[in-house]
Amino acid sequence: MTAPRTALKGWLAALPKDRLIAEFSLWSADLANLERDLARIEAHADILHADVADGRFAPSFLFFPDQLARVRALTARPLHVHLMVEGDIVLDQIRQFAAAGADLITIHAENGPIVAEAIELIRSLGCEAGIVLRLETPVEAIEPWVGQVSFVTLLGTAIGVKGQGLSEQAIPRLQAARTILRAAGREGAVVLAADGGIRAETVPKLRAGGAETVVLGSLAFGDPDLAARIAWLHGLPGPAA
């Protein structure tokens, strides 16, 4: 088994509470010029997000441990690995990505019976753990895990496909998740994230619906004035109490 590692210290507690967190998806970077893109976003990103897909649970093949290790050497930002993989390889993937430098590893509630062991493994390897839900999975599926994770991520589009519009269910699902976290006494202790369908017109709605971070793709990497885009993001009002 991979030995426990020392992740970035204090990164989770240092995340801002008074504004939207900027989480940058490496899938939207120029992967042929990744070092250049990482340098460009370093001053603006709170978290770097790496999607991992096995071609089975999700239709793509995405991000590998060696790639993440290279990213780890180039940035001081926390690395969030989102595992979109079948349950039979989840534990092995956790070990590999923890060793490569992940600070947060999120797994899908849809992985079923392996989820409890997976969360325990993530934490034993020195990483924060998170739980993710596909769009079609009832929000209540997070309830068994909210006391054991640091992030809850709700997908607002079908899994693993770029360029989709935000589902009309995305914002009510965020609101429902926020209610669950509050009832469990975990609101403020667990970061509520929105992933998928992130556009200039949807981010304000997601923020008002309870999102504390959004996973930015082309909205960030494709903006020629990234500083202005992030200033806009930081200025968005949060949900009503």
Side-chain angles (χ1 to χ4, degrees):
M1 180 181 292
T2 306
R5 56 179 284 275
T6 301
L8 295 180
K9 294 185 180 298
W11 72 268
L12 185 63
L15 290 176
K17 303 290 188 184
D18 59 347
R19 63 162 175 82
L20 195 59
I21 297 163
E23 188 167 353
F24 282 54
S25 173
L26 297 176
W27 192 13
S28 291
D30 181 347
L31 297 181
N33 294 283
L34 187 54
E35 185 169 358
R36 179 202 66 193
D37 272 8
L38 286 170
R40 176 177 177 245
I41 67 173
E42 183 78 7
H44 305 290
D46 294 305
I47 302 171
L48 300 181
H49 183 106
D51 286 312
V52 175
D54 61 358
R56 297 164 60 205
F57 188 88
S60 304
F61 290 95
L62 292 171
F63 261 91
F64 306 103
D66 285 350
Q67 286 176 300
L68 192 81
R70 178 59 177 152
V71 172
R72 174 75 290 160
L74 294 171
T75 182
R77 298 303 180 193
L79 299 180
H80 175 185
V81 171
H82 170 198
L83 291 182
M84 297 182 287
V85 300
E86 291 288 356
D88 58 349
I89 63 170
V90 163
L91 299 181
D92 188 51
Q93 291 282 284
I94 288 168
R95 294 185 185 99
Q96 291 187 50
F97 280 99
D103 300 292
L104 164 68
I105 300 176
T106 54
I107 61 168
H108 274 264
E110 297 87 0
N111 284 139
I114 201 68
V115 170
E117 184 178 357
I119 290 173
E120 183 179 356
L121 177 61
I122 292 167
R123 296 171 68 180
S124 75
L125 294 174
C127 300
E128 298 293 338
I131 199 80
V132 193
L133 296 186
R134 298 174 74 132
L135 181 59
E136 64 269 23
T137 301
V139 176
E140 291 75 20
I142 69 172
E143 289 181 337
W145 314 115
V146 295
Q148 302 171 50
V149 299
S150 301
F151 267 61
V152 166
T153 302
L154 302 185
L155 300 188
T157 59
I159 195 166
V161 181
K162 276 187 178 182
Q164 299 177 77
L166 186 71
S167 167
E168 64 182 14
Q169 295 301 314
I171 293 163
R173 285 168 60 81
L174 279 170
Q175 293 167 334
R178 189 179 177 215
T179 297
I180 290 169
L181 292 174
R182 184 184 297 121
R186 294 288 285 165
E187 188 177 25
V190 175
V191 176
L192 184 57
D195 187 357
I198 306 302
R199 304 284 184 271
E201 65 273 16
T202 62
V203 174
K205 298 174 184 178
L206 292 165
R207 175 61 170 153
E212 296 169 271
T213 180
V214 293
V215 181
L216 300 163
S218 58
L219 187 64
F221 283 99
D223 197 316
D225 190 346
L226 185 55
R229 172 60 69 191
I230 298 304
W232 166 81
L233 187 89
H234 290 174
L236 293 173

